[in-house]
Amino acid sequence: MTARHDTPDIFALSEINGPVLRPGDPAYADEVTGFNLAALHTPDVAIGATGPDDIVTAMRWAKATDTPVAVQATGHGANFPIEKGLLINTARMTDVRIDPTTRTAAIAAGAKWSHVMAAGAPHGLAGLCGTSTDAGVVGYTLGGGLPVLGRAYGYAADLVRSFQVVTPDGRLRETDPQHEPELFWALRGGKGNVGVVTSLVTELLPLPRLYGGGIYCRGEHAEALLQAWTDWTRTVPDQMCSAFTILRLPPIPQIPEPLRGGFWARVAIAWPGLPAEGEALIAPLREAAPVAVDTVEVMDHAALDRIHMEPQDPLPGRESCLLLRDLPPDALRTFLDQVGPAAGADHPLLMVEIRHMGAAMSRPSAVEDAVCARDALYFIDSVGIMAAPPAAEAIEQATQQLYTAMAPYGTGRTMVNIHGTPGDEQDRARAWTPEVYARLRHDKATYDPSNLLRYGHAVTPA
């Protein structure tokens, strides 16, 4: 819906401290562009929020004018172009306050994990970050948050103690397990369906260092490494976190030598225990196939990006995923048929990864939340770079083929943050169990009956 531009609306927006931009304004394009360049936003109005008051004003204006609202911090999870409506950009809200006594961090809506790592490092504290410290904390956590160290410590949402959130009625609320517990439940794993979070407080881990990195083999050894890794995952302790990855890397300067332009099979390792124990545990992987590059070492927790080596520059990406019950021999053969050496060097998917789940991620949170991935033993996700129309078509076809082939081994569900472009309601519902999805719809009807927050991976009100 296009926002009305009568005098009361303009007056309300004039109360916002940050920029208020419309198409054609000089800074508009920079304000609406996020990390994923495949989702090009064209809202009627974009505001650069500088604090909770700006978000309260924006939501009150949206409610008064019946204008749909989207929220973006870094745009790593942007997989749906925002057309019309209001876009709230929280990227200016980056404050992080560490309390070393309680081992907690109060994190503003636009802060990245890199901000949290930098603030926590002097105290030897770290957060449950995902594969890139460039991603925003709040959006990641609202979707449950799949950490690199998830098997050891669970989901990022499990550690959240409280939220400050503006609900679509324009009210600024504080929520935790004792205050508005249903709102607290819906925010931890239900994505941004019931409000716009202005900040959260989360527990931190006393973890200044870890043992991690990647073991890389040439792509032709993918089968040997995958089989060894799968067998190995059935024996390792809960603290051992790992993923098997197929990489077809382009010959561009952003990728370091000698990986640039190569076809690789990799096992990414993250071990928070004693380095000597970690080194002994991963020895079978180093013996499974000829190792071309080995980056596993003791590192500061703030150097987490060196484990998965995610892209640091904006790009147009197509992402998708599926939770897996297990990896029987048939599943391994299917996976290799789809993306292994037999698929060819010119296969269009840049990265296909199988993450080892279970352990702490299989156990319920101390306070109930909406995360629905606790029954998966593995998780598969993929990324393709949509550089041009022919490439986009090939990536879409390869993505569909991969997940159709792997569906018999899946739980039928996805993770909301990595779901990819949301389809119809049946497709969107796959991010949760039927019971949790029904509860989210009820909460949506309670907090957002007009469905103002309808962009992205939205839940429809009951």
Side-chain angles (χ1 to χ4, degrees):
M1 175 183 292
T2 302
R4 302 195 309 266
H5 296 165
D6 53 23
T7 302
D9 302 346
I10 295 173
F11 176 75
L13 289 180
S14 70
E15 298 175 3
I16 290 175
N17 296 307
V20 178
L21 302 167
R22 300 180 187 275
D25 289 343
Y28 173 87
D30 288 340
E31 195 69 35
V32 303
T33 300
F35 184 87
N36 188 358
L37 301 180
L40 299 177
H41 304 319
T42 55
D44 291 320
V45 185
I47 74 156
T50 61
D53 289 346
D54 283 352
I55 295 176
V56 168
T57 300
M59 292 301 289
R60 289 176 177 173
W61 176 83
K63 183 176 185 293
T65 58
D66 193 28
T67 301
V69 178
V71 185
Q72 180 166 278
T74 67
H76 279 75
N79 48 46
F80 189 97
I82 306 306
E83 299 175 349
K84 308 297 183 182
L86 168 68
L87 176 65
I88 299 174
N89 181 4
T90 63
R92 293 169 178 79
M93 299 168 60
T94 60
D95 184 53
V96 176
R97 289 178 286 111
I98 304 293
D99 185 334
T101 303
T102 60
R103 292 179 180 171
T104 59
I107 305 168
K112 300 179 181 182
W113 277 111
S114 58
H115 298 135
V116 178
M117 297 303 192
H123 308 285
L125 299 174
L128 277 182
C129 176
T131 54
S132 173
T133 63
D134 190 54
V137 175
V138 167
Y140 161 89
T141 305
L142 291 177
L146 178 60
V148 170
L149 291 170
R151 277 179 49 83
Y153 301 107
Y155 294 95
D158 297 345
L159 298 188
V160 175
R161 291 192 177 183
S162 65
F163 292 98
Q164 185 184 71
V165 57
V166 181
T167 44
D169 58 3
R171 287 181 56 193
L172 182 65
R173 305 174 189 243
E174 303 279 349
T175 177
D176 58 32
Q178 288 74 45
H179 304 91
E180 301 202 59
E182 188 63 19
L183 180 61
F184 186 66
W185 173 86
L187 288 170
R188 295 186 308 137
K191 205 56 179 171
N193 275 288
V194 291
V196 180
V197 170
T198 63
S199 65
L200 61 80
V201 175
T202 187
E203 297 175 32
L204 299 177
L205 305 170
L207 192 65
R209 293 176 183 82
L210 71 158
Y211 182 67
I215 298 170
Y216 294 79
C217 299
R218 300 287 177 186
E220 59 263 29
H221 302 297
E223 182 174 359
L225 187 61
L226 175 59
Q227 185 62 65
W229 174 77
T230 305
D231 294 341
W232 176 81
T233 59
R234 304 187 191 285
T235 66
V236 296
D238 287 1
Q239 281 186 298
M240 179 56 76
C241 308
S242 66
F244 174 86
T245 317
I246 293 287
L247 294 161
R248 289 175 169 89
L249 300 177
I252 58 176
Q254 290 87 339
I255 296 172
E257 293 285 5
L259 300 176
R260 187 181 304 163
F263 170 37
W264 303 95
R266 177 189 70 191
V267 174
I269 297 292
W271 167 255
L274 294 174
E277 293 178 1
E279 186 169 7
L281 282 167
I282 69 173
L285 300 176
R286 286 173 164 152
E287 298 167 359
V291 177
V293 178
D294 190 333
T295 66
V296 184
E297 62 183 355
V298 178
M299 62 175 66
D300 291 341
H301 198 110
L304 200 73
D305 288 330
R306 286 167 22 205
I307 296 177
H308 284 260
M309 295 185 64
E310 295 265 328
Q312 297 298 305
D313 297 319
L315 47 77
R318 163 69 163 99
E319 195 166 31
S320 194
C321 73
L322 180 67
L323 292 161
L324 301 174
R325 295 190 306 272
D326 205 347
L327 279 177
D330 285 353
L332 298 184
R333 284 193 292 270
T334 300
F335 177 81
L336 290 168
D337 287 345
Q338 290 294 316
V339 298
D346 59 348
H347 190 277
L349 295 181
L350 173 76
M351 183 279 290
V352 184
E353 183 164 277
I354 303 176
R355 183 85 65 93
H356 188 201
M357 304 283 279
M361 289 190 286
S362 67
R363 296 190 278 271
S365 173
V367 177
E368 186 186 19
D369 59 28
V371 177
C372 293
R374 300 185 192 273
D375 59 344
L377 291 181
Y378 299 91
F379 169 78
I380 180 172
D381 70 298
S382 61
V383 175
I385 304 304
M386 317 277 274
E393 293 170 7
I395 288 166
E396 189 62 35
Q397 182 178 9
T399 300
Q400 295 295 336
Q401 288 177 347
L402 171 63
Y403 291 100
T404 298
M406 295 300 292
Y409 315 105
T411 66
R413 293 196 298 278
T414 67
M415 293 198 72
V416 61
N417 280 347
I418 315 171
H419 180 95
T421 304
D424 59 15
E425 184 172 356
Q426 183 178 4
D427 177 65
R428 294 166 190 240
R430 293 192 302 126
W432 300 280
T433 63
E435 296 77 14
V436 167
Y437 184 68
R439 185 172 170 182
L440 284 172
R441 290 192 65 207
H442 179 270
D443 291 344
K444 180 78 167 180
T446 300
Y447 291 101
D448 187 16
S450 299
N451 199 23
L452 289 183
L453 297 167
R454 71 185 70 163
Y455 293 113
H457 204 116
V459 170
T460 56

